[in-house]
């Protein structure tokens, strides 16, 4: 894509009881007229917004894991009308959109609160002490996250890091919550003795105040994988019964098995299900709730009282060569994946016990929403300079102490959506914000990189993505290199995009012809000639 490439055609999507898609006319003047008419209609309209109760299926709470893929669902009527500007992403024949599934709106309405957890890779914390955990927990709490799902592997030193995490959690009021997500790609699970580590963690932290328990006071336990484990008991179900139930404190076992959900009826050990792969599309499609629903249907075959934990993730890119972890691919994160997925979960919240953010600190797969700290799994080539907390904020500076002062980047979006998920009501926007994200180079660029271009690279487009939180109608101007576009947006959330062009990026908000603020994030740029392949996301927030 050259510097003079101009993609100024776009569509308007209104998120409400029935999403409305308006394909743009090829005549720009007709497009402008249609936009103005729509804005007048929106301002004149009066929306009746339902207040949703706290809905959560009863006996078990859900858990976490680590890997991911797709979903599809409509956006529920919300406090904020959503304006999405985008180019040709939805064909005319999908004009009707998909309405939210509200057929079983009252199911599981027992008044139990919903939770938002973030998946935390303990294997990346070798240099951590208790104070490091406290920094992450404070940042997470400010972002509306209730706790961490601790991905625990087989390294001997991880037990010490887990102990520090539980100590740090006690310094918060209320206590910061934790639960185990045992990583069965790291922990052995074929022999009887392999269950000892898991049983030890469960026994050791069962009564800890920071340990998450369900409505029946059962300790929440999850996994990443484990669908091949038998622990010397002859079958998967018998193996997990031995590892987490037999002779153990009461547990609510909500594994993240990578298996067809039709198999769940043969695993009565399960008290619920976490579907790691639901956070991204698995192909060149858009995110939805379809595959989540298959998981829910599968776990419901086990009987009443089972729960579902749904993943939500902002990105996915990993770039390891054949001599390393040998995984080099992307999942599609276009079309404001993080915001769109959150809106889908909120629309279907009556079916979900816990929203699990994938992840807090998995740097190797580029879907970290937390700060870059601790050890990286040889991912520095694509993560250095890509702090997803919005480290490029405004003038591009950042210091450790500022983590305690404000939220930026994907964590700021997390705070807004987490509250809506927990309460069923989108919060009122009280401060203007723009969150930008985008890749650093053209998807079809050629680089001198022995690992090679990642698989699925053709699924993404070269756009600058912007999520705007606006307290009142305004004009947003986005720039990427020589490409510029202005958007009239309404109060609430607006999701915008602009074709990327070589050079830096900037965003400006104006009202009544006067600039509210403008920022040009340092280090956030786009090129056609990268030194290596990097499909990670820059994330910046302003003001």
């Amino acid at each position: 894509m050259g510097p003079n490439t101009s993609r100024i055609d776009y569509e308007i999507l209104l998120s409400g009881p029935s999403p409305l898609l308006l394909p743009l006319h090829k005549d720009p003047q007709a497009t402008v007229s249609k936009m103005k008419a729509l804005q007048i209609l929106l301002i004149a309209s009066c929306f009746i917004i339902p207040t949703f109760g706290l809905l959560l299926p009863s006996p078990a709470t859900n858990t976490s894991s680590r890997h991911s893929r797709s979903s599809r669902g409509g956006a529920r009527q919300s406090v904020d009308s959503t304006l999405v500007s985008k180019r040709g992403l939805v064909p005319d024949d999908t004009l009707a959109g998909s309405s939210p599934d509200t057929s079983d709106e009252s199911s599981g309405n027992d008044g139990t609160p919903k939770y938002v957890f973030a998946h935390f890779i303990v294997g990346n914390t070798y240099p951590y002490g208790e104070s490091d955990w406290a920094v992450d927990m404070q940042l997470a709490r400010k972002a509306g996250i209730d706790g961490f799902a601790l991905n625990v592997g087989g390294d001997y030193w991880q037990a010490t890091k887990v102990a520090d995490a539980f100590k740090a959690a006690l310094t918060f009021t209320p206590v910061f919550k934790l639960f185990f997500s045992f990583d069965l790609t790291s922990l052995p699970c074929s022999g009887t003795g392999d269950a000892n580590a898991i049983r030890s963690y469960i026994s050791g932290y069962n009564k800890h105040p920071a340990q998450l328990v369900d409505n029946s006071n059962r300790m929440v336990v999850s996994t990443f994988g484990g669908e091949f484990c038998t622990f010397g008991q002859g079958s998967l179900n018998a193996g997990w019964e031995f590892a987490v139930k037999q002779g153990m404190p009461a547990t609510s076992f909500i594994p993240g098995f990578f298996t067809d959900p039709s198999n769940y009826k043969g695993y009565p050990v399960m008290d619920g299900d976490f579907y790691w792969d639901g956070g991204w599309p698995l192909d060149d499609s858009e995110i939805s709730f379809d595959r989540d629903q298959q998981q829910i249907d599968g776990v419901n075959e086990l009987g009443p009282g089972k729960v579902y934990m749904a993943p939500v993730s902002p990105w996915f890119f990993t770039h390891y060569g054949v001599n390393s972890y040998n995984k080099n691919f992307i999942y599609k994160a276009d079309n404001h994946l993080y915001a769109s997925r959150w809106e889908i979960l909120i629309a279907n919240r009556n079916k979900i016990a816990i929203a699990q953010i994938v992840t807090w600190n998995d740097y190797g797969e580029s879907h970290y929403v937390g700060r870059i700290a601790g050890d990286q799994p040889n991912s520095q080539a694509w993560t250095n300079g890509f702090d997803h907390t919005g480290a490029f904020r405004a003038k591009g500076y950042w210091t450790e102490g500022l983590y305690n002062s404000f939220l930026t980047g994907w964590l700021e979006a997390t705070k807004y959506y987490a509250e809506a998920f927990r309460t069923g009501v989108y919060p009122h926007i009280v401060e203007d914000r723009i969150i930008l994200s985008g890749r650093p180079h053209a998807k079809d660029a050629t680089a001198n990189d022995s690992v090679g271009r990642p698989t699925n690279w053709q699924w993404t487009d070269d756009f600058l993505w912007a999520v705007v939180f606006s307290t009142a109608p305004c004009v947003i101007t986005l720039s990427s290199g020589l490409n510029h576009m202005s958007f009239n947006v309404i109060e609430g959330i607006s999701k915008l995009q602009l074709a990327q062009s070589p050079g830096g990026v900037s965003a400006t908000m104006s009202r009544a012809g006067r600039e509210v603020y403008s920022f040009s994030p340092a280090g956030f740029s786009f090129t056609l000639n990268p030194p290596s392949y990097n499909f990670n996301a820059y994330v910046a927030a302003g003001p």
Side-chain angles (χ1 to χ4, degrees):
M1 184 181 302
N4 297 315
T5 301
S6 178
R7 294 187 182 179
I8 59 172
D9 301 334
Y10 54 98
E11 297 175 341
I12 298 171
L13 165 66
L14 274 177
S15 173
S18 294
L20 173 65
L21 298 173
L22 299 178
L24 282 185
H25 290 258
K26 293 184 179 178
D27 175 3
Q29 191 58 44
T31 291
V32 172
S33 299
K34 182 170 287 189
M35 286 182 63
K36 290 181 178 177
L38 178 62
Q39 285 182 292
I40 293 171
L41 176 64
L42 286 171
I43 295 171
S45 298
C46 178
F47 294 95
I48 300 174
I49 308 301
T51 300
F52 310 138
L54 295 173
L55 308 175
L56 178 66
S58 53
T61 323
N62 246 321
T63 331
S64 67
S65 262
R66 154 183 175 193
H67 261 105
S68 140
R69 311 188 184 176
S70 157
S71 279
R72 184 159 177 56
R76 193 178 177 114
Q77 192 173 17
S78 66
V79 171
D80 303 302
S81 299
T82 304
L83 174 68
V84 180
S85 303
K86 56 189 194 171
R87 180 189 186 278
L89 296 174
V90 183
D92 294 1
D93 60 2
T94 64
L95 201 63
S98 57
S99 298
D101 177 9
T102 58
S103 59
D104 62 345
E105 222 167 66
S106 61
S107 67
N109 189 4
D110 64 352
T112 306
K114 295 187 179 299
Y115 295 100
V116 176
F117 274 70
H119 196 82
F120 198 110
I121 311 298
V122 179
N124 290 342
T125 65
Y126 184 77
Y128 262 43
E130 184 179 334
S131 61
D132 298 295
W133 284 102
V135 171
D136 284 326
M137 290 174 182
Q138 182 173 8
L139 186 59
R141 173 148 290 180
K142 285 180 177 291
I145 296 170
D146 299 300
F148 290 148
L150 299 178
N151 179 290
V152 177
D155 298 315
Y156 73 91
W157 52 265
Q158 289 193 31
T160 300
K161 306 307 170 183
V162 167
D164 287 340
F166 275 88
K167 289 176 185 176
L170 292 177
T171 66
F172 292 85
T173 304
V175 172
F176 193 83
K177 292 298 183 179
L178 303 168
F179 65 84
F180 292 111
S181 177
F182 295 112
D183 192 333
L184 277 306
T185 66
S186 174
L187 290 163
C189 62
S190 59
T192 302
D194 293 336
N196 290 343
I198 292 173
R199 291 170 66 88
S200 178
Y201 277 117
I202 293 174
S203 298
Y205 291 95
N206 173 54
K207 299 296 185 181
H208 198 284
Q211 169 62 47
L212 182 68
V213 297
D214 73 357
N215 296 344
S216 301
N217 206 35
R218 296 181 299 176
M219 180 179 182
V220 173
V221 175
S222 187
T223 71
F224 176 72
E227 64 277 7
F228 300 109
C229 297
T230 62
F231 297 102
Q233 306 304 303
S235 71
L236 180 149
N237 193 75
W240 281 108
E241 281 280 358
F242 172 71
V244 302
K245 302 270 189 181
Q246 186 178 324
M248 299 295 290
T251 58
S252 176
F253 183 52
I254 307 148
F257 292 155
F258 295 98
T259 187
D260 191 304
S262 64
N263 294 328
Y264 293 165
K265 59 182 177 290
Y267 309 145
V269 69
M270 294 176 64
D271 297 300
D273 169 46
F274 173 61
Y275 180 44
W276 174 276
D277 282 343
W280 314 266
L282 297 181
D283 52 22
D284 191 11
S285 64
E286 300 305 319
I287 197 70
S288 79
F289 201 71
D290 291 351
R291 298 174 73 226
D292 298 78
Q293 188 60 56
Q294 294 174 10
Q295 298 289 317
I296 293 169
D297 292 343
V299 78
N300 283 345
E301 288 291 318
L302 290 167
K306 306 302 180 182
V307 296
Y308 179 61
M309 183 170 69
V312 54
S313 187
W315 208 259
F316 194 108
F317 165 63
T318 186
H319 194 54
Y320 293 104
V322 294
N323 296 323
S324 181
Y325 296 113
N326 192 24
K327 57 179 190 176
N328 179 33
F329 61 97
I330 71 165
Y331 288 140
K332 185 175 181 179
D334 287 13
N335 305 330
H336 310 93
L337 174 65
Y338 198 48
S340 297
R341 176 64 174 171
W342 267 117
E343 289 163 8
I344 288 170
L345 298 192
I346 293 163
N348 292 277
R349 64 186 293 277
N350 56 300
K351 303 176 182 180
I352 303 166
I354 297 177
Q356 166 90 243
I357 298 167
V358 179
T359 60
W360 181 266
N361 68 332
D362 193 338
Y363 313 117
E365 294 181 353
S366 307
H367 42 60
Y368 49 97
V369 299
R371 64 190 183 125
I372 297 178
D375 275 349
Q376 290 201 49
N378 297 319
S379 54
Q380 292 89 336
W382 61 92
T383 58
N384 282 356
F386 290 78
D387 188 322
H388 294 168
T389 61
F392 302 101
R393 181 184 176 102
K395 299 183 183 300
Y397 60 85
W398 190 251
T399 63
E400 180 76 16
L402 291 181
Y403 282 117
N404 296 327
S405 303
F406 51 73
L407 296 171
T408 60
W410 283 333
L411 285 179
E412 189 156 21
T414 299
K415 182 176 183 178
Y416 178 83
Y417 285 114
E419 181 175 341
F421 174 76
R422 268 192 298 268
T423 66
V425 180
Y426 282 88
H428 182 63
I429 295 172
V430 296
E431 194 171 7
D432 294 314
R433 284 285 186 270
I434 302 175
I435 301 173
L436 302 176
S437 60
R439 289 180 290 98
H441 65 74
K443 67 176 184 179
D444 57 357
T446 300
N448 184 18
D449 186 335
S450 61
V451 178
R453 187 182 290 139
T455 302
N456 307 330
W457 64 269
Q458 66 273 23
W459 291 354
T460 188
D461 286 313
D462 296 329
F463 284 113
L464 172 67
W465 307 98
V467 178
V468 180
F469 295 80
S470 180
T471 60
C474 64
V475 175
I476 300 295
T477 300
L478 301 179
S479 298
S480 175
L482 298 180
N483 285 356
H484 314 278
M485 191 186 304
S486 293
F487 306 83
N488 292 312
V489 305
I490 60 176
E491 177 183 353
I493 302 176
S494 300
K495 290 179 262 181
L496 316 176
Q497 68 185 52
L498 173 71
Q500 293 248 55
S501 177
V505 307
S506 65
T508 301
M509 175 181 284
S510 302
R511 288 195 180 96
R514 302 181 65 178
E515 183 178 295
V516 177
Y517 72 84
S518 179
F519 74 110
S520 301
F524 195 151
S525 62
F526 185 79
T527 182
L528 303 179
N529 301 294
S532 61
Y533 293 113
N534 190 347
F535 282 63
N536 196 358
Y538 283 118
V539 180

